[in-house]
Amino acid sequence: MTASILCFVVYAYHGGTYLDWSGSAQDRQPPSPGAQPEGTTPEAPGSPESPQTQSQSQSQSQTNQAGAARYPAWVETPKVFDVAQIPDYVPPPFSLGTPIALHPQLAQAIDRFLSRPILTHKQASPQNQAACPLEQANAQVNADQLKNDHERWLAVDTETIDRMRRGALEYLEQHTASEGEAGLIGPGFGLDAKPIRQGSRGIVFAAGNHRTVDRTIGCIKEIQRLGWQLGAIEVFHFEGELTDEDQRQQLRDLGATPHTVSTKKAPGRWKNFELKAEAILRSSFDEVLYLDSDNYPLSDVGALFDSSLFRDARGGNAIFWPDLNRDHPDNAIHRVLGIPCHNAWELDSGQILIAKSGNDGLNLAALYLAQYMAEEGNFWFSGGDKDTFRYAFLALGITYTPAPRWLSLLGHRDPKDNFCGAAMLQYGLDPPRDGHADPADPSHPEPLFVHANLLKHMSGVRPGDVFTLFRRLVPGQDDVRNEYRPAKALHSVTGGGSSVAGKGLCSDIIAFRGGADIETVDTTTSFGGMMKGFEDQFFSYGALPGLWR
């Protein structure tokens, strides 16, 4: 009996087992001869992992295998839909007509993606709902998205899926034709057409209109005040934007370089998401920390680049931070990707840490694929571009690493004594610095990013009373990779925004069933009081509530 359990643990860790929302282990289908299994990637020989970090990673791996108490730190692509469970399944005719014109490594990944099953909603629904039960999914999905997009999800048919997948191939082939096969394999080439130095580091922003540039200038000042010295900073914008010479000079005075992206701003969209992925992939660095203009750090972000979670090549050298919701099992993205719904949070793309050379260079190809998805609005299956990065990694079958702790919300109480969240509070990757530990969970990473995404939608609030409290799962319940049977709290909690009369949009976290304990905490005393002066510092850069643009 002991030997059987041990064999299962080793297989679950290395063989590609993933878990559905209920905590049941699901085995992968065996790979075809000579093919790399979906969702597994070899260690990249050129990946940014030091020997010391590699040794630490191997030690952690052994601990995980022996104790079977934790997931691996990274997320692997789940197995494809099991067509053996679909009696009426008929594989669609599949013929490209011509060989795939991509770098061989990328061609292999895309070929596997194009070969995944193409299912109707009816065919996919049993496997999606078995992995992601509706009782939980209906509570954890973005409610507005479910209401507004559900019919569109169901209307995505097999012909549409085939067309979307082929469109991704055509997009990558077009860029390969113009930039060369090596141009889409990381670290790639800079805007000057010179090879990007592997291991080079920098920070990237996407900002163009007047107020986003003002916020970016304030954010850069704060980053530098907190100690950033590791690399340059670049700010990308659409053609015709960032035309104010005073703003451009302010950026240059701070050591930041403005660049124009080649993508044209699509007309008639409520928001232009096409900028972010291109800003990252066109930047002059291999290792990139991307930040939204309304995202302010609480300590030196340089430490992220040396975190063992980022350096470990098995995790793809890509860190994504969680959002408040999960994909619904009816969401057509599962069928577009050819994989069932699985245990993963949507992304808050207000901060992304990625090495283009990660996953043996395929991280850069994933950025190109995310760019295609951002340009092609039919891929906005989570309300915008934010999850196109995750979808691109899943399409290519490569690993990424989620930040280890679920987010909290930073805000205040409204006149009716209800919590009103104005910002996402995202945590770092490593244990806290001396003096910043939470006594209830001493290893809990300290807060790192204040993504003030709702502040621009608020009214009736004034500086000094905006970020006084934060809402969170109690320490010990927010570890997103906690155990093989998923943490009960994270399967019983959800969050989102709602309109409040006289206030605008407010966000909150709620428990929709037992198992999740939520608390409201004083900002000034938590984590050693590290956020005590944040609000004054934040508003000193000129940010104001209620300014969308």
Side-chain angles (χ1 to χ4, degrees):
M1 180 66 176
T2 302
S4 298
I5 294 174
L6 180 59
C7 288
F8 169 74
V9 170
V10 173
Y11 177 77
Y13 192 81
H14 287 290
T17 298
Y18 80 99
L19 280 97
D20 58 23
W21 287 13
S22 64
S24 303
Q26 306 289 327
D27 295 336
R28 292 187 187 280
Q29 295 174 328
S32 58
Q36 182 179 313
E38 283 279 359
T40 61
T41 52
E43 282 202 11
S47 60
E49 180 180 15
S50 67
Q52 179 182 3
T53 302
Q54 188 175 34
S55 174
Q56 293 171 346
S57 301
Q58 291 170 347
S59 174
Q60 180 67 36
S61 170
Q62 292 165 0
T63 300
N64 288 344
Q65 291 180 49
R70 296 180 60 84
Y71 284 118
W74 54 88
V75 172
E76 293 181 335
T77 301
K79 66 175 183 178
V80 301
F81 282 105
D82 183 3
V83 297
Q85 298 183 32
I86 307 171
D88 61 341
Y89 179 73
V90 177
F94 181 77
S95 176
L96 291 175
T98 58
I100 295 177
L102 299 172
H103 185 282
Q105 183 183 357
L106 177 55
Q108 185 182 43
I110 286 293
D111 181 60
R112 290 198 299 268
F113 171 54
L114 296 174
S115 302
R116 292 177 186 175
I118 298 179
L119 306 182
T120 65
H121 169 72
K122 182 179 179 180
Q123 289 172 326
S125 186
Q127 292 181 58
N128 280 333
Q129 292 189 21
C132 303
L134 284 177
E135 177 192 3
Q136 179 180 338
N138 287 338
Q140 292 193 313
V141 70
N142 181 303
D144 289 336
Q145 184 188 20
L146 182 63
K147 177 182 177 182
N148 298 329
D149 293 345
H150 192 256
E151 289 187 9
R152 183 173 72 90
W153 295 342
L154 303 188
V156 174
D157 56 22
T158 56
E159 290 78 12
T160 301
I161 293 172
D162 182 64
R163 185 170 61 252
M164 294 173 77
R165 291 185 187 179
R166 290 172 185 262
L169 169 62
E170 292 171 3
Y171 183 89
L172 295 175
E173 286 184 326
Q174 289 170 4
H175 279 275
T176 296
S178 61
E179 301 177 39
E181 286 188 353
L184 275 64
I185 301 297
F189 299 89
L191 290 170
D192 57 2
K194 295 180 180 179
I196 292 174
R197 181 175 59 84
Q198 186 162 336
S200 55
R201 298 172 173 179
I203 297 176
V204 170
F205 290 89
N209 65 64
H210 198 276
R211 285 172 179 156
T212 59
V213 176
D214 281 345
R215 289 198 295 264
T216 297
I217 290 170
C219 189
I220 293 173
K221 290 179 179 178
E222 183 66 1
I223 287 170
Q224 294 176 338
R225 186 186 74 84
L226 292 169
W228 171 256
Q229 297 178 344
L230 293 181
I233 299 174
E234 295 181 340
V235 180
F236 286 78
H237 60 90
F238 287 115
E239 184 179 359
E241 293 186 333
L242 220 175
T243 56
D244 187 309
E245 184 54 36
D246 180 62
Q247 287 185 322
R248 297 181 72 88
Q249 188 59 49
Q250 287 185 68
L251 289 171
R252 288 191 289 264
D253 289 345
L254 291 169
T257 305
H259 294 293
T260 305
V261 296
S262 60
T263 302
K264 303 302 180 184
K265 194 172 185 178
R269 288 182 174 173
W270 71 276
K271 192 174 181 182
N272 291 96
F273 294 111
E274 310 95 299
L275 184 57
K276 188 176 297 187
E278 185 170 1
I280 301 172
L281 69 89
R282 294 294 179 198
S283 66
S284 305
F285 326 115
D286 174 19
E287 301 177 18
V288 176
L289 174 63
Y290 169 83
L291 292 175
D292 276 355
S293 63
D294 56 0
N295 197 348
Y296 280 62
L298 294 166
S299 60
D300 184 9
V301 296
L304 291 172
F305 291 87
D306 295 317
S307 170
S308 60
L309 283 178
F310 180 57
R311 307 311 310 174
D312 190 340
R314 294 171 300 174
N317 309 118
I319 307 290
F320 297 145
W321 275 260
D323 206 337
L324 292 167
N325 304 111
R326 299 182 192 261
D327 291 324
H328 194 274
D330 286 348
N331 194 323
I333 190 58
H334 308 300
R335 295 186 289 122
V336 172
L337 295 175
I339 55 176
C341 183
H342 59 286
N343 180 29
W345 292 97
E346 292 182 358
L347 303 187
D348 167 21
S349 62
Q351 59 283 304
I352 292 173
L353 181 65
I354 187 169
K356 299 173 190 175
S357 59
N359 276 309
D360 206 15
L362 284 180
N363 282 4
L364 179 58
L367 289 171
Y368 275 90
L369 189 52
Q371 175 66 18
Y372 163 70
M373 293 178 178
E375 292 180 24
E376 179 58 54
N378 288 335
F379 276 93
W380 296 0
F381 288 105
S382 64
D385 72 317
K386 64 188 185 69
D387 280 278
T388 57
F389 298 94
R390 178 168 60 98
Y391 299 157
F393 272 67
L394 294 171
L396 295 182
I398 55 179
T399 58
Y400 68 87
T401 300
R405 300 297 179 129
W406 200 53
L407 70 160
S408 300
L409 296 178
L410 189 60
H412 53 274
R413 292 199 180 277
D414 66 17
K416 294 184 178 181
D417 203 35
N418 296 314
F419 179 81
C420 176
M424 294 176 168
L425 186 65
Q426 297 283 8
Y427 294 94
L429 305 181
D430 298 308
R433 297 167 294 169
D434 291 344
H436 295 280
D438 187 321
D441 187 356
S443 66
H444 195 295
E446 62 193 71
L448 182 57
F449 294 113
V450 175
H451 185 190
N453 58 326
L454 286 190
L455 187 64
K456 52 185 172 279
H457 299 285
M458 287 186 165
S459 60
V461 293
R462 295 290 180 268
D465 193 31
V466 180
F467 301 129
T468 58
L469 302 169
F470 68 93
R471 291 269 279 175
R472 66 176 183 181
L473 279 170
V474 298
Q477 293 187 357
D478 63 349
D479 189 335
V480 300
R481 307 298 287 171
N482 189 26
E483 50 189 324
Y484 276 114
R485 180 168 295 279
K488 187 176 182 181
L490 287 172
H491 289 254
S492 305
V493 69
T494 190
S498 59
S499 181
V500 177
K503 178 72 69 172
L505 284 179
C506 293
S507 59
D508 199 2
I509 294 171
I510 62 168
F512 59 88
R513 62 186 180 190
D517 300 309
I518 299 168
E519 62 182 4
T520 305
V521 184
D522 186 341
T523 301
T524 62
T525 59
S526 301
F527 293 96
M530 63 171 293
M531 291 185 285
K532 187 175 183 179
F534 169 74
E535 183 162 346
D536 290 340
Q537 192 68 37
F538 177 85
F539 286 110
S540 73
Y541 295 120
L544 291 173
L547 295 179
W548 165 250
R549 293 288 185 185

